[in-house]
Amino acid sequence: MRKFLLLVGLLLIVSSASPMFQMAREHVIGSKIMKQFKIGLANYEQGFPSHINTQDIELNGRSIKIVEEPTGKKASLTHWDLEEGVPAGDIVKLHLLVDGKEVTNPDEIWLSNRDKGGRYYSWFEVLTVNDRIAIVQRLTDDDAPMDDRAWKIIWIDEKIKEEKVSYLSRSENPLAVRLINSSGTSRMAMGYQSDILQMYPTLFFPMLYPYVTTLLGILLCIIAFFIRKKVE
């Protein structure tokens, strides 16, 4: 009986170890980022933080200007666009000027075709990170597979720095992951190392597995230990 309980307990613990480790790692990384960095939307409307919906921003003594270059192309219609009869949005090349100087290569974005979320919603956002400015822009289309998605982050400081981030390389830059998620440009929320915490919760996951299975496995091992002690 003791050996059976011990074996079942160990099997439950081992089978639950991987997801438990991944979830714990996500929580630890997220906690560290939150303690080190205060991240928020730079744009305010009527006293409340709001997604960027203007082409001129004055922030931290810097002038940020967005210039749209028409391409004559229209964005693809989503399933919801077709259902609701929403017209396709324009595709433009976005030029970013800081203090009158262009600071990055222009990349295409799809302008919003809806009256909510802001003109550049899900494509472009200006954030404050402590006392710094970070501009996040998605580089891949709405219908690009998650594994192919990429972004650029432009840091506006004494020196202007640009970094590229891809979904597959995101584990190398946890702050970038936080910025992308906070900016709303991720399309789908993503984790720092894995997306295990982004899954839709059900009774089975994560309640029964891996939480209950881990606790049950530990309990069975404890019972087996006391049975052994009693026998001795």
Side-chain angles (χ1 to χ4, degrees):
M1 182 64 176
R2 183 186 68 82
K3 289 184 178 179
F4 174 76
L5 291 176
L6 183 62
L7 178 61
V8 173
L10 289 175
L11 285 174
L12 287 173
I13 292 172
V14 170
S15 65
S16 307
S18 179
M20 285 295 291
F21 170 75
Q22 291 181 55
M23 288 190 288
R25 181 175 58 185
E26 290 296 304
H27 282 301
V28 169
I29 296 173
S31 178
K32 288 182 178 178
I33 293 294
M34 289 185 69
K35 286 180 180 178
Q36 293 180 38
F37 303 99
K38 183 180 179 182
I39 300 169
L41 298 175
N43 188 48
Y44 274 72
E45 292 184 6
Q46 298 180 344
F48 295 96
S50 174
H51 290 287
I52 191 74
N53 201 25
T54 180
Q55 293 177 289
D56 293 280
I57 303 174
E58 295 288 336
L59 192 62
N60 292 1
R62 311 298 293 268
S63 170
I64 301 172
K65 185 176 181 62
I66 301 166
V67 178
E68 299 171 8
E69 178 188 341
T71 65
K73 296 186 289 186
K74 293 287 186 179
S76 302
L77 289 171
T78 66
H79 168 74
W80 295 276
D81 291 337
L82 294 171
E83 272 197 348
E84 298 172 22
V86 178
D90 293 319
I91 297 178
V92 300
K93 277 190 175 181
L94 213 63
H95 297 262
L96 181 64
L97 284 69
V98 176
D99 298 333
K101 181 180 179 182
E102 190 158 13
V103 295
T104 183
N105 292 326
D107 290 291
E108 289 185 352
I109 71 163
W110 300 3
L111 295 180
S112 175
N113 58 347
R114 296 174 181 270
D115 294 329
K116 56 184 179 181
R119 185 172 179 81
Y120 308 113
Y121 181 68
S122 87
W123 276 93
F124 180 92
E125 191 56 76
V126 182
L127 301 173
T128 57
V129 186
N130 294 344
D131 57 351
R132 305 171 69 193
I133 305 168
I135 297 175
V136 183
Q137 182 176 340
R138 178 157 51 93
L139 300 175
T140 43
D141 294 345
D142 285 13
D143 49 8
M146 199 67 180
D147 284 356
D148 294 339
R149 289 186 179 170
W151 300 260
K152 64 180 177 183
I153 299 175
I154 302 159
W155 290 95
I156 309 299
D157 213 329
E158 293 180 2
K159 292 185 178 179
I160 296 175
K161 176 185 175 185
E162 179 177 327
E163 55 188 3
K164 297 287 178 66
V165 183
S166 72
Y167 175 79
L168 293 179
S169 68
R170 70 193 189 283
S171 61
E172 301 169 9
N173 195 337
L175 175 57
V177 174
R178 186 75 179 195
L179 295 179
I180 292 166
N181 283 335
S182 298
S183 69
T185 61
S186 59
R187 293 291 295 165
M188 293 176 61
M190 58 183 181
Y192 299 101
Q193 298 278 335
S194 74
D195 295 331
I196 192 166
L197 292 182
Q198 313 306 323
M199 298 172 63
Y200 186 78
T202 65
L203 178 61
F204 176 75
F205 183 91
M207 287 304 299
L208 292 178
Y209 177 82
Y211 292 149
V212 172
T213 51
T214 299
L215 291 174
L216 182 59
I218 294 172
L219 180 61
L220 291 176
C221 288
I222 292 173
I223 293 172
F225 173 78
F226 280 107
I227 290 177
R228 178 183 178 184
K229 283 288 186 181
K230 188 174 181 181
V231 170
E232 291 176 352

